[in-house]
Amino acid sequence: MNLLLHRTYLKEGTNGVLFYKGKFLGFTIELPWLENKRSISCIPEGVYQLKPRFSEKFKHHLLLKNVPKRSLILIHPANDAKKELRGCIAPVSSITGIGKGLSSKIIFQKIVSLCHQAFERKETITLTIKS
């Protein structure tokens, strides 16, 4: 299973559109591109394997594997990239500004459910990020 994230880079943040099999899943928000600097930049474009992860803070969410020079890059809910993200990706139902969106938990649950069904089928899940 492959998800595609098509990004638009802006000075204040990064907005994206997420697709599965060519169909729109939702939007994404991220920090701006600042040369992959930890905690203040979105991650580089590329293909990343997704794995399920659980924490008390985010409950069931997704982890991106093998991100160059970074660790614990997650897909988790957030509505304001600068206030709530440290390099992670947040799906949102609608974009309200640069790096800002609404109803993150709703679209996040849809994506996690889709991925967990694939995990149960023992499928490899990848996320391709490009501009």
Side-chain angles (χ1 to χ4, degrees):
M1 176 176 158
N2 184 51
L3 301 175
L4 171 64
L5 172 55
H6 189 272
R7 282 179 172 165
T8 300
Y9 298 98
L10 303 157
K11 185 178 179 182
E12 315 290 311
T14 303
N15 292 347
V17 184
L18 192 61
F19 298 94
Y20 172 59
K21 291 186 175 179
K23 293 185 180 180
F24 172 79
L25 279 179
F27 298 99
T28 62
I29 57 170
E30 298 176 76
L31 293 170
W33 174 250
L34 297 171
E35 305 301 322
N36 196 32
K37 293 179 184 167
R38 286 183 188 270
S39 301
I40 62 168
S41 175
C42 60
I43 63 171
E45 293 181 9
V47 179
Y48 301 99
Q49 187 173 357
L50 298 180
K51 292 289 185 185
R53 186 172 185 273
F54 182 87
S55 71
E56 284 302 315
K57 183 175 182 178
F58 298 120
K59 307 301 180 207
H60 292 282
H61 56 281
L62 302 167
L63 171 72
L64 281 73
K65 299 286 288 177
N66 301 317
V67 178
K69 301 180 183 178
R70 303 286 286 276
S71 61
L72 282 178
I73 300 299
L74 312 174
I75 296 177
H76 68 77
N79 291 310
D80 187 320
K82 287 202 173 180
K83 291 181 181 176
E84 300 174 86
L85 299 179
R86 298 185 62 210
C88 299
I89 301 169
V92 292
S93 296
S94 61
I95 298 285
T96 59
I98 300 169
K100 294 183 179 182
L102 292 175
S103 303
S104 183
K105 288 182 181 177
I106 294 168
I107 192 68
F108 169 74
Q109 288 301 330
K110 179 180 173 183
I111 293 164
V112 168
S113 176
L114 180 70
C115 289
H116 275 276
Q117 290 172 37
F119 291 136
E120 288 176 12
R121 295 189 301 267
K122 308 289 188 222
E123 290 181 32
T124 298
I125 303 174
T126 57
L127 174 66
T128 301
I129 302 173
K130 63 183 185 177
S131 57

